[in-house]
Amino acid sequence: LDVKSNCTVLVYLSEEGGETSFVPAREGVIHNGMSVKEEMKGYDEKSVMTIKPRVGRCVVFDQRLLHKGEGGKGVKYVLRTD
């Protein structure tokens, strides 16, 4: 089965754990085989949008948007659907 996520709905169930960070798309970037860490190089920290976990907070985003979950203290509990 070739199934791919197009949209993610992320609901935070706790305030522990890490944040979710997003960066704007760049023209001409080819993502073949690059890790998120490699892709995020060169972005100005001011252009990164960070969502802090809060119980009940909901984030809906297109999977093509470059994003990553940050490590943090405790366990990050989320409800995620695609």
Side-chain angles (χ1 to χ4, degrees):
L1 225 198
D2 187 19
V3 180
K4 183 178 177 183
S5 295
N6 292 317
C7 181
T8 293
V9 178
L10 183 66
V11 180
Y12 290 94
L13 303 176
S14 69
E15 295 187 12
E16 295 181 348
E19 305 165 335
T20 304
S21 298
F22 300 88
V23 295
R26 287 193 292 197
E27 295 264 343
V29 175
I30 299 172
H31 304 292
N32 295 338
M34 293 173 65
S35 69
V36 172
K37 185 176 182 178
E38 290 171 326
E39 290 185 67
M40 293 186 100
K41 283 182 183 175
Y43 280 100
D44 183 335
E45 286 191 31
K46 294 177 187 174
S47 66
V48 176
M49 181 176 73
T50 300
I51 307 296
K52 295 184 183 300
R54 296 286 181 262
V55 174
R57 183 168 280 171
C58 178
V59 182
V60 179
F61 60 94
D62 187 313
Q63 272 300 116
R64 294 174 295 182
L65 185 61
L66 183 58
H67 62 282
K68 72 174 184 173
E70 302 288 341
K73 294 180 181 177
V75 179
K76 182 179 185 177
Y77 290 101
V78 298
L79 173 65
R80 176 186 168 189
T81 186
D82 299 319

